[in-house]
Amino acid sequence: EERRRAEELWRQGRGMMWFQHFRRAGGTSLCQILQNSLPHARFPIGEACQPRGWNMDDALRLHGHNITQLAAALRAVGGNAFAQEYGPVPGAELLRPRPPRWAGLRDWVFVTSLREPWARFWSQMRHELSACLLGAKALALCISGDYGKLVDTVGFWHSPTSHIHSIIGRTEGDARFMPGPEIYSDNYYVRILLNRPGSEEELTDEDLDRAMAVLGDRFSAVVIIEDFAASVLQLACALHLDVDVAVPLLRSRIRPYDAHEGMLADLPQSETDFDDEEVVGLRTAFMRRNRFDYALFAHVRHLARKRVKACSRSRPDIARILQQLPRDLAEAAEVASGE
């Protein structure tokens, strides 16, 4: 199996790592874990695990959509790992016979983190898409992806504390992977995994199956932010996470937007700041529109728990850590008991 081969290469210090950083899904906290707790990981100097010069851009586009060139550029700066935050996973190439320029994918391990879709989107609206929270009508427009009408209504779509490049990437024109923020409320996870950014392109049940296969067959760990402390321990068996270093880090979270909080004080802090009936209806509309992401999230959350449980069976130290983790850290007790 290709995933296990790549994991063995990594454990030998000869592999490469692709960290898919989904926005507002715990990626910055996971970056800290990866940088400090994986013995073979060498992330070049940069921001949030993105190499300097690659930030706010699609790493695949920067290297001609050629994985061999990308790996060579990473090695040239002393690295073997990076974060892709403003571009897709080469999902199709991971699932089918590939041309020579993609042959090097077999040497890569893949890691990511996911968050319950509504919680992820709410966090993003709070910090990057504040116009969406100016009222129920504005929120409805964002959920439906009609940002053009939102601009016509309120004059802007992104937060005054966020530059547009930090939300959709710095590449201009047709080369930009995300032409706008529409992807964030339209099955963001599935579209990134399958390189299908355009909301005008409808997703199907077969696309969901392919996205599940990408994560299940080729990702060595999918860390669930709601189960963060326990979920991270998947990395112990798959990629030799140094648990002595990692466990203290599990008690901390990196919050890159703290400096902006004072400027966002007037925005709704939670759903309770909206009318109950309105927000229930809007949340239901979001869940219906993002049904593929919800199905993917449920599937992978179950998979992550199975992997942690399997790891704890072969590693007594992991079983012990799961039992000792504080209850407020990511439902560790539930995972440890196998419920």
Side-chain angles (χ1 to χ4, degrees), residues 208 211-213 215-216 293-304:
L208 172 61
M212 287 180 175
L215 289 180
D293 267 9
Y294 271 95
L296 180 71
F297 179 78
H299 171 79
V300 178
R301 190 175 193 181
H302 178 67
L303 175 63

Side-chain angles (χ1 to χ4, degrees), residues 63-92:
H63 299 93
H65 296 274
N66 186 314
I67 196 67
T68 303
Q69 290 184 17
L70 192 157
L74 199 54
R75 291 190 182 105
V77 292
N80 66 355
F82 82 103
Q84 168 82 314
E85 188 173 356
Y86 293 89
V89 174

Side-chain angles (χ1 to χ4, degrees), residues 52-65:
R52 186 177 294 158
W54 298 20
N55 60 309
M56 293 188 287
D57 213 332
D58 175 1
L60 282 175
R61 186 199 66 81
L62 286 173
H63 299 93
H65 296 274

Side-chain angles (χ1 to χ4, degrees), residues 6 16 39 42 48 59 75 108 205 214 259 264 280 292 303 315 323:
M16 308 291 290
R42 301 189 306 276
R75 291 190 182 105
W108 289 74
D205 290 337
V214 169
L264 302 171
V280 167
F292 294 116
L303 175 63
R315 291 274 301 269
Q323 292 171 355

Side-chain angles (χ1 to χ4, degrees), residues 6 10 54 68 97 140 177 206 225 258 265 288 305-306:
W10 180 265
W54 298 20
T68 303
F177 172 68
E206 288 74 21
I225 201 65
D258 274 357
R288 286 173 178 164
R305 289 176 170 178
K306 284 179 61 177

Side-chain angles (χ1 to χ4, degrees), residues 258-330:
D258 274 357
H260 298 162
E261 287 294 332
M263 302 177 69
L264 302 171
D266 293 336
L267 290 176
Q269 301 292 318
S270 68
E271 298 174 34
T272 58
D273 293 323
F274 284 90
D275 178 86
D276 286 347
E277 290 186 8
E278 285 182 329
V279 80
V280 167
L282 290 169
R283 186 173 65 244
T284 300
F286 177 86
M287 294 175 70
R288 286 173 178 164
R289 189 172 193 232
N290 291 271
R291 67 183 182 90
F292 294 116
D293 267 9
Y294 271 95
L296 180 71
F297 179 78
H299 171 79
V300 178
R301 190 175 193 181
H302 178 67
L303 175 63
R305 289 176 170 178
K306 284 179 61 177
R307 287 181 174 178
V308 171
K309 187 176 181 181
C311 184
S312 70
R313 290 197 193 102
S314 61
R315 291 274 301 269
D317 59 328
I318 299 302
R320 189 164 51 251
I321 290 168
L322 286 170
Q323 292 171 355
Q324 293 172 350
L325 282 173
R327 290 192 176 187
D328 62 343
L329 287 178

Side-chain angles (χ1 to χ4, degrees), residues 145-164:
D146 195 348
Y147 287 88
K149 191 169 183 179
L150 179 68
V151 172
D152 291 341
T153 303
V154 303
F156 61 99
W157 60 262
H158 61 88
S159 301
T161 57
S162 298
H163 193 283
I164 186 173

